């Protein structure tokens, strides 16, 4: 039986985890950079959701070189976005916004496309145009905050996230992104509280759960990081980022055999994942030096689910101060290592 299936009693978890079990609140994201690219702390970006309101018009027959009707232009651009041809999609949505400058969804999709094409500055401008048309356009508020986090402008991101919460006070995504912003600001306690709130609102938010584990890991609390990272992998075992982060926590806790399995799982999901390859090389051939006794990742994930239920029971508590508190920058321990953000 592998080290992954060994048994870990709850008493063997680090004292910090036991303290956390009695607390109400918190969660976080993982990356050693501020980028919103796939990383320890990054989260998924929603694809196109809403088509324009116009009905499709037949293509002109007398002038084949003419621009397509707006609805057709939107549909073609959306198809390019879905296929991953983001530069082509950006051109299409730019054409659409010129024909229908009153529709915020066109600028929203232009923002998503230009961002995915690698132009965050242009994306931010497009999101701003969508918000000028509709200040309550929640998706533009959320995704522009992601761009601002990528540009290392977390304070500005927080302003937009608070605006998003004013529209939708129960947005778990907004709280997850608040966690990322607070972590960038060094406000680790506020980041933890925001992540917990996000998880309480959606106990299957694997990104928020992963980010909370990474936040613990960055603070040198590998034992506390194990339960949320085990749960994140349980929810999405095919995510190389989650497997790699779990491998880091296991490695730092002295469970080198289990860490090797996690790194191997990351590479099975993405054979080109360099950080997992480096981690695998680092632990191969090392004998376990367990910090917390016998290991049972399923039991740790179950322990975390119990914590989440406590947070859900307390979900009615005041969260405004939690979300806005800048916390104490000196509380943040940033560990620079090979784990993806």
């Amino acid at each position: 039986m592998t080290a992954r299936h060994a048994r870990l009693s709850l008493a063997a978890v680090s004292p910090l985890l036991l303290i956390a079990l009695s607390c109400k609140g918190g969660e976080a994201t993982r990356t050693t950079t501020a980028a919103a690219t796939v990383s320890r702390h990054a989260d998924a970006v929603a694809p196109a959701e809403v088509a324009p309101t116009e009905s499709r018009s037949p293509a002109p027959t007398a002038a084949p070189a003419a621009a397509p009707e707006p609805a057709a232009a939107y549909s073609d651009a959306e198809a390019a976005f879905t296929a991953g041809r983001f530069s082509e999609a950006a051109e299409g949505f730019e054409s659409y916004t010129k024909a229908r400058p009153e529709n915020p969804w066109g600028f929203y999709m232009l923002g998503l496309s230009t961002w995915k094409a690698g132009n965050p500055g242009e994306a931010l401008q497009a999101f701003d145009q969508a918000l000028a048309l509709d200040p309550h356009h929640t998706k533009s508020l959320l995704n522009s905050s992601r761009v601002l986090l990528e540009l290392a402008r977390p304070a500005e991101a927080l302003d937009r996230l608070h605006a998003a919460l004013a529209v939708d006070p129960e947005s778990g995504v907004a709280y997850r992104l608040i966690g990322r912003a607070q972590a960038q600001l060094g406000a680790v306690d506020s980041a933890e509280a925001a992540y917990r709130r996000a998880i309480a609102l959606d106990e299957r938010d694997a990104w928020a759960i992963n980010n909370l584990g990474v936040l613990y890991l960055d603070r040198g609390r590998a034992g506390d990081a194990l339960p949320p990272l085990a749960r994140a992998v349980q929810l999405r075992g095919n995510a190389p980022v989650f497997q790699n982060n779990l491998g880091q926590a296991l490695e730092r806790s002295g469970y080198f055999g289990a860490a090797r399995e996690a790194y191997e799982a990351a590479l099975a999901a993405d054979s080109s994942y360099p950080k997992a390859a480096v981690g695998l090389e680092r632990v191969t051939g090392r004998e376990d030096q367990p910090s917390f006794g016998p290991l049972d990742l399923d039991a740790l994930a179950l322990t975390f689910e119990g914590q989440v239920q406590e947070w859900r029971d307390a979900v009615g508590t005041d969260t405004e101060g939690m979300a806005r508190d800048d916390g104490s920058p000196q509380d943040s321990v940033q560990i620079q290592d090979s784990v993806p953000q």
Side-chain angles (χ1 to χ4, degrees):
M1 181 174 294
T2 66
R4 178 181 295 274
H5 302 291
R7 176 66 38 194
L8 175 62
S9 67
L10 297 184
V13 182
S14 73
L16 289 172
L17 174 59
L18 294 177
I19 294 172
L21 285 171
S22 65
C23 297
K24 303 286 189 289
E27 51 258 50
T29 316
R30 173 77 191 229
T31 295
T32 42
T33 72
T37 53
V38 173
S39 69
R40 297 163 91 175
H41 308 265
D43 48 54
V45 178
E49 298 97 347
V50 178
T53 56
E54 306 90 337
S55 60
R56 183 183 297 272
S57 301
T61 56
E69 290 295 315
Y74 191 105
S75 179
D76 291 344
E78 189 175 38
F81 183 93
T82 302
R85 303 191 303 273
F86 301 119
S87 294
E88 178 184 337
E91 292 178 2
F93 286 119
E94 184 174 12
S95 175
Y96 174 82
T97 57
K98 290 177 179 177
R100 290 291 184 268
E102 75 284 359
N103 188 345
W105 284 102
F107 289 105
Y108 167 71
M109 288 306 305
L110 176 60
L112 276 186
S113 301
T114 52
W115 181 28
K116 298 288 283 184
N119 301 305
E122 294 179 19
L124 191 59
Q125 292 177 10
F127 288 133
D128 286 347
Q129 288 177 289
L131 290 168
L133 292 167
D134 179 3
H136 297 144
H137 198 264
T138 308
K139 291 185 181 298
S140 290
L141 288 168
L142 293 174
N143 282 296
S144 64
S145 76
R146 286 183 168 106
V147 174
L148 287 165
L149 289 172
E150 180 176 329
L151 296 172
R153 294 159 59 180
E156 295 173 67
L158 278 177
D159 289 340
R160 298 186 185 222
L161 292 167
H162 295 316
L165 284 178
V167 178
D168 181 5
E170 300 300 300
S171 171
V173 174
Y175 279 107
R176 184 208 307 156
L177 292 171
I178 285 173
R180 291 183 56 195
Q182 296 286 23
Q184 278 196 21
L185 288 168
V188 180
D189 290 341
S190 294
E192 181 176 351
Y195 284 131
R196 289 187 180 186
R197 175 68 175 186
I199 298 169
L201 289 167
D202 179 2
E203 71 273 22
R204 297 183 66 84
D205 184 346
W207 278 108
I209 294 169
N210 168 78
N211 292 348
L212 176 60
V214 169
L215 189 71
Y216 290 149
L217 200 55
D218 280 342
R219 299 181 78 179
R221 295 164 56 183
D224 290 341
L226 284 171
L229 292 175
R231 177 58 176 156
V233 165
Q234 194 177 69
L235 288 169
R236 287 185 55 180
N238 63 343
V241 172
F242 296 173
Q243 291 282 4
N244 187 66
N245 290 338
L246 176 61
Q248 279 281 338
L250 290 164
E251 180 181 349
R252 296 186 198 183
S253 301
Y255 300 105
F256 301 121
R260 183 179 64 253
E261 292 180 14
Y263 290 136
E264 288 173 345
L267 290 169
D270 181 358
S271 60
S272 64
Y273 202 67
K275 295 180 185 294
V278 172
L280 179 59
E281 182 178 359
R282 205 166 45 234
V283 299
T284 297
R286 299 185 67 179
E287 295 185 4
D288 281 1
Q289 299 175 356
S291 300
F292 309 113
L295 180 69
D296 185 336
L297 291 176
D298 289 336
L300 286 173
L302 186 62
T303 298
F304 182 75
E305 290 185 78
Q307 288 182 271
V308 173
Q309 185 56 53
E310 293 181 11
W311 303 340
R312 291 175 65 82
D313 292 342
V315 79
T317 58
D318 179 29
T319 59
E320 183 176 356
M322 172 197 74
R324 293 182 179 275
D325 180 16
D326 283 339
S328 176
Q330 62 265 32
D331 288 340
S332 176
V333 179
Q334 299 298 325
I335 301 174
Q336 302 298 325
D337 56 28
S338 64
V339 184
Q341 62 186 27

